[in-house]
Amino acid sequence: MDNAEPFSASTAPLTWHDFLERMRHPSASEFVKSIKTFIVSFSNNPPDPERDSAAVQEFLTNMETAFRAHPLWAGRSEEELDSAGEGLEKYIMTKLYTRVFASHPDDVKVDDELYEKLALVQQFIRPEHLDIQPTYQNETSWLLAQKELQKINLYKAPRDKLVCILSCCKVISNLLFNASTDANESLPGADEFLPVLIYVTIKANPPQLHSNLLYIQRYRRESRLVGEAAYFFTNMLSAESFVMNINGESLSMDETEFQKNMESAQALIYGLSGDYDGGQSQSQSISEPKEVKKENSSTVAVESTNSSTVAVESTTEEPNVKEQPVSKTPSVSDLENKGASMILKDETSIKEFRNFPYFYSRAGDLTVGDVEDLLNSYKQLVLKYVSLAKGLGVPASSSETQNKSVTTDAAEDEGSTGVFSENTESKLGEERAEDKVQ
């Protein structure tokens, strides 16, 4: 490999902690002051992606040059100096993340359009549509690559996001190599790799893909985005370009058939198929648009304000024979059914569910670390639900339908990040940086 830097020792947790430890040293006070000044000055300027990118790149370059001339790194190896640069980039971009990520309305618009388009295409696309040879078709194993790509929003640092992309590409590359070896065929190249990456990207459909790629382009240290990292990242940019302009011709499909498939997928996702009766008789789950009858109940997605989503039971009610009083207080079930009907009728409602990481998962996707988070979310949801029922003066019934959530494997905990020590933190005047997006 020309450059395996994202997988080398320089990317280990020691990189981050070594940087923090050196910043605690009294002789690093000038560095700490410079970091504080840059963050404050940068944050006070209005967002401008091009200018922001240039400012960050220049600051990182100047600071790394200063590191080399400082006694703290005297006689250190290139790898140790590289680690210092990695630590600086991680700290700076973690602090500035909310200020620079998806900061331009145009980028947000592209994110939304791309996410919704892929949500439709993934309903009907098959490997054959991308001319992927049968020898290389392995959708079960491709799930591993999808999971790696779906981790991208767990992180704030450009390098960590890039590693998610490289890990995804590595899985694909290894699977193609093994398949060609087993079939005694020539080694796969870019013509075999890119279609599989496109397919995996469509199936994974990570939120804010466009903004994530722009973020890496703008804020990953330019001198480190080379070699293998640059090769795989360029392929991901090509995959994004392909899916943004996807049509019938690009899928070896008649355009009329393509549009028909898109319309069918839209009806499937939004619950607007022929079986849907406008929410009058039965609520439907957004992940199961077809009518599901199970003990006279159906599942309806209900969103809570604490970033968790659960499926609760919505019973099918018999038509009222007697006229109901106009002043009747709506029950919790009435409100649930009304909200579910609104969700199914609103074609933009799919955006709402992106904010809840466990909504689309299977039980097997959960890790031990997810259990505590889910339990806390459940308790908060129950409190809100019971309070709502109490306020309406109606009994609060428990849910019989278990929530099936989507999440990616929790990323490795790199310890308490952004801890510069009390002395250094007081100089920076900043809160502790978090490695992951909470």
Side-chain angles (χ1 to χ4, degrees), residues 388-408:
L388 174 62
K390 194 73 173 177
L392 291 171
V394 297
S397 59
S398 62
S399 170
E400 294 179 3
T401 307
Q402 297 291 331
N403 177 36
K404 292 184 179 180
S405 333
V406 165
T407 187
T408 54

Side-chain angles (χ1 to χ4, degrees), residues 5-168:
E5 60 87 22
F7 302 96
S8 68
S10 66
T11 66
L14 290 176
T15 298
W16 177 237
H17 295 301
D18 179 70
F19 170 74
L20 297 177
E21 190 63 34
R22 292 182 188 278
M23 289 297 103
R24 292 188 178 102
H25 197 279
S27 64
S29 59
E30 286 302 314
F31 289 146
V32 173
K33 182 179 179 180
S34 296
I35 293 171
K36 174 185 176 181
T37 301
F38 177 76
I39 291 174
V40 172
S41 175
F42 188 99
S43 300
N44 287 335
N45 292 325
D48 183 329
E50 296 305 318
R51 183 191 63 198
D52 291 346
S53 174
V56 168
Q57 293 290 343
E58 181 181 8
F59 181 75
L60 293 177
T61 299
N62 292 338
M63 286 293 288
E64 288 189 36
T65 300
F67 286 167
R68 290 177 175 274
H70 196 276
L72 274 174
W73 284 275
R76 301 295 176 176
S77 66
E78 283 299 317
E79 184 177 4
E80 289 176 300
L81 289 167
D82 186 64
S83 294
E86 292 285 10
L88 176 65
E89 178 186 286
K90 186 185 187 79
Y91 185 83
I92 292 293
M93 296 317 303
T94 298
K95 290 295 187 182
L96 298 177
Y97 186 77
T98 55
R99 160 67 171 72
V100 300
F101 185 80
S103 61
H104 198 284
D106 289 345
D107 296 340
V108 176
K109 181 180 179 182
V110 174
D111 280 331
D112 291 340
E113 292 176 348
L114 183 60
Y115 184 87
E116 292 187 35
K117 188 172 188 178
L118 295 192
L120 298 178
V121 174
Q122 68 180 198
Q123 301 300 319
F124 61 85
I125 193 170
R126 297 291 178 268
E128 297 79 16
H129 293 141
L130 297 172
D131 298 324
I132 299 174
Q133 301 175 28
T135 302
Y136 300 122
Q137 294 181 17
N138 192 342
E139 293 196 62
T140 301
S141 296
W142 290 345
L143 289 173
L144 298 174
Q146 293 174 36
K147 289 173 73 66
E148 292 298 328
L149 187 57
Q150 288 168 342
K151 293 178 182 178
I152 196 168
N153 287 306
L154 291 174
Y155 299 98
K156 295 180 180 180
R159 176 195 63 93
D160 294 336
K161 289 180 178 291
L162 179 61
V163 167
C164 294
I165 293 174
L166 301 187
S167 296
C168 168

Side-chain angles (χ1 to χ4, degrees), residues 343-357:
I343 289 173
L344 293 172
K345 290 179 180 178
D346 184 3
E347 294 188 0
T348 64
S349 63
I350 190 173
K351 299 178 185 178
E352 304 293 334
F353 294 91
R354 296 189 320 185
N355 300 321
F356 303 93

Side-chain angles (χ1 to χ4, degrees), residues 89-354:
E89 178 186 286
K90 186 185 187 79
Y91 185 83
I92 292 293
M93 296 317 303
T94 298
K95 290 295 187 182
L96 298 177
Y97 186 77
T98 55
R99 160 67 171 72
V100 300
F101 185 80
S103 61
H104 198 284
D106 289 345
D107 296 340
V108 176
K109 181 180 179 182
V110 174
D111 280 331
D112 291 340
E113 292 176 348
L114 183 60
Y115 184 87
E116 292 187 35
K117 188 172 188 178
L118 295 192
L120 298 178
V121 174
Q122 68 180 198
Q123 301 300 319
F124 61 85
I125 193 170
R126 297 291 178 268
E128 297 79 16
H129 293 141
L130 297 172
D131 298 324
I132 299 174
Q133 301 175 28
T135 302
Y136 300 122
Q137 294 181 17
N138 192 342
E139 293 196 62
T140 301
S141 296
W142 290 345
L143 289 173
L144 298 174
Q146 293 174 36
K147 289 173 73 66
E148 292 298 328
L149 187 57
Q150 288 168 342
K151 293 178 182 178
I152 196 168
N153 287 306
L154 291 174
Y155 299 98
K156 295 180 180 180
R159 176 195 63 93
D160 294 336
K161 289 180 178 291
L162 179 61
V163 167
C164 294
I165 293 174
L166 301 187
S167 296
C168 168
C169 292
K170 279 285 188 179
V171 171
I172 295 173
S173 182
N174 289 338
L175 289 172
L176 292 176
F177 176 81
N178 292 336
S180 65
T181 301
D182 294 341
N184 292 319
E185 295 187 1
S186 58
L187 294 179
D191 290 341
E192 289 75 33
F193 175 80
L194 184 58
V196 177
L197 178 60
I198 291 171
Y199 188 84
V200 166
T201 301
I202 293 173
K203 287 295 186 177
N205 194 14
Q208 298 179 298
L209 175 62
H210 181 66
S211 287
N212 273 295
L213 297 182
L214 286 179
Y215 179 75
I216 294 170
Q217 276 185 305
R218 291 166 178 165
Y219 302 109
R220 176 58 174 160
R221 186 80 162 85
E222 292 175 346
S223 61
R224 295 191 180 91
L225 194 53
V226 295
E228 184 183 61
Y231 173 74
F232 282 139
F233 184 68
T234 299
N235 272 274
M236 178 55 72
L237 293 176
S238 298
E240 182 203 22
S241 177
F242 181 92
V243 297
M244 287 181 71
N245 299 289
I246 203 167
N247 55 25
E249 182 180 358
S250 58
L251 295 181
S252 304
M253 182 186 301
D254 180 76
E255 188 62 30
T256 302
E257 182 184 358
F258 175 78
Q259 292 301 329
K260 183 178 179 180
N261 285 331
M262 292 290 279
E263 291 171 4
S264 298
Q266 186 176 48
L268 185 69
I269 291 178
Y270 300 132
L272 298 177
S273 62
D275 293 333
Y276 173 60
D277 60 5
Q280 297 296 322
S281 63
Q282 184 172 10
S283 300
Q284 297 173 324
S285 166
I286 198 165
S287 61
E288 296 181 33
K290 295 293 183 180
E291 200 169 340
V292 180
K293 296 183 179 179
K294 188 179 292 184
E295 298 180 0
N296 295 323
S297 67
S298 64
T299 335
V300 56
V302 177
E303 194 176 291
S304 78
T305 58
N306 70 329
S307 297
S308 67
T309 308
V310 299
V312 299
E313 182 180 313
S314 171
T315 56
T316 305
E317 298 183 4
E318 296 294 330
N320 292 321
V321 178
K322 296 183 179 181
E323 191 175 330
Q324 298 295 325
V326 176
S327 60
K328 180 191 176 210
T329 302
S331 66
V332 174
S333 179
D334 291 334
L335 294 176
E336 289 174 353
N337 289 332
K338 179 182 178 181
S341 179
M342 293 171 66
I343 289 173
L344 293 172
K345 290 179 180 178
D346 184 3
E347 294 188 0
T348 64
S349 63
I350 190 173
K351 299 178 185 178
E352 304 293 334
F353 294 91
R354 296 189 320 185

